Amino acid sequence: APRPPILLNFPADAKAARLAYEKLLQAKRAAGGKMRLHYFSDPARRLRQSKLTDDWVHRRISNFDYLQALNTFAGRSLNDLTQYPVFPWVLRDYTSPELDLSDPASFRDFAKPIGAQSAKQEAKFRERYASWCDPETPAFHFGTHYSTPGYVLWYLTRIEPYTTWAVHLQGGRFDCPDRLFSSVGECFQNCTTTMNDVKELTPEWFYLPHFLRNDCAHDLGVDQKGRPV
């Protein structure tokens, strides 16, 4: 029967991690080699051994499959909201009636994080880092993360089991309508023009359009502009 995943965390204790790893290897041998260990000791080395990057470069696997594999090697899983797979924003044009996919301006700059897509925003984050003077907190560029359980549930509120989890997170009800995810374009604009929102996407954006529809007819309310959410 399926069993839940277990995360072992050994902060700054390499000796304890090595001991636990040795115990797992002993258990594997005792089980006749049937216990599978994935990417435990050296994910980067196992990624190189897998030849996945070569397969991707030569187009033997898709971008989606490659990103899913990278997330897996990084320890991310659809079973863990705190380590949910991360996918990037790809497009940047959400206002044109038609997209010209041959125009580089239609796409985000993959060389930079989502919070630094414009020179103006990048300068703001660099200034924050350079001017930081709190002796208790190290300097930083981004004060928020690109993926959190809250972000995952915010995107996927309209489909189960995320609906149930989102309601549980809000104490038994949906969040207020103006704070719910309701516009892809507005979301992208917020992630690229403010300093408190730099979230990326989830895999569902690339294969499950249902998360954008309220097929279950949940009463998500009406926002301040009078638009049903």
Side-chain angles (χ1 to χ4, degrees):
R3 297 181 181 179
I6 298 175
L7 173 65
L8 302 177
N9 184 24
F10 303 97
D13 192 345
K15 183 178 180 181
R18 172 54 56 182
L19 179 61
Y21 181 54
E22 291 174 355
K23 293 294 184 182
L24 285 173
L25 290 179
Q26 292 174 10
K28 179 180 180 181
R29 288 192 289 268
K34 295 181 180 180
M35 190 177 73
R36 301 175 65 187
L37 300 178
H38 291 290
Y39 329 123
F40 189 92
S41 58
D42 191 341
R45 178 172 61 86
R46 290 183 179 273
L47 176 61
R48 291 192 298 270
Q49 293 173 341
S50 72
K51 308 297 184 182
L52 275 169
T53 300
D54 186 68
D55 286 342
W56 173 63
V57 169
H58 292 90
R59 300 188 177 184
R60 291 190 287 267
I61 61 174
S62 67
N63 291 338
F64 182 88
D65 290 336
Y66 185 57
L67 288 173
Q68 280 283 55
L70 291 181
N71 274 283
T72 300
F73 276 103
R76 294 186 172 273
S77 168
L78 295 171
N79 297 319
D80 186 351
L81 290 176
T82 66
Q83 294 290 332
Y84 208 76
V86 179
F87 272 59
W89 287 95
V90 175
L91 300 173
R92 68 179 307 154
D93 184 355
Y94 294 96
T95 58
S96 300
E98 293 185 7
L99 276 175
D100 181 3
L101 297 182
S102 65
D103 182 1
S106 297
F107 301 90
R108 64 91 59 87
D109 183 353
F110 287 103
K112 297 181 180 180
I114 193 64
Q117 289 297 297
S118 69
K120 180 180 179 180
Q121 280 300 102
E122 182 178 351
K124 289 181 180 179
F125 286 113
R126 289 186 179 277
E127 180 183 4
R128 169 194 275 174
Y129 186 91
S131 61
W132 191 260
C133 58
D134 187 339
E136 300 296 327
T137 306
F140 60 91
H141 292 96
F142 303 112
T144 58
H145 209 266
Y146 50 80
S147 177
T148 69
Y151 296 166
V152 175
L153 296 179
W154 188 71
Y155 282 141
L156 306 180
T157 294
R158 292 167 177 80
I159 57 174
E160 289 289 2
Y162 307 96
T163 304
T164 298
W165 295 338
V167 169
H168 178 72
L169 180 66
Q170 296 297 327
R173 58 177 178 78
F174 288 109
D175 200 358
C176 68
D178 286 282
R179 289 204 294 260
L180 293 174
F181 172 52
S182 60
S183 169
V184 174
E186 289 178 7
C187 179
F188 179 81
Q189 182 180 20
N190 199 54
C191 291
T192 53
T193 59
T194 67
M195 297 185 69
N196 61 354
D197 188 359
V198 293
K199 56 180 169 286
E200 295 282 0
L201 307 180
T202 66
E204 288 79 6
W205 283 70
F206 299 90
Y207 73 89
L208 190 67
H210 305 284
F211 85 94
L212 294 169
R213 304 198 301 258
N214 189 8
D215 290 340
C216 293
H218 296 298
D219 183 6
L220 302 177
V222 178
D223 65 18
Q224 293 184 18
K225 296 180 181 180
R227 302 176 303 185
V229 178

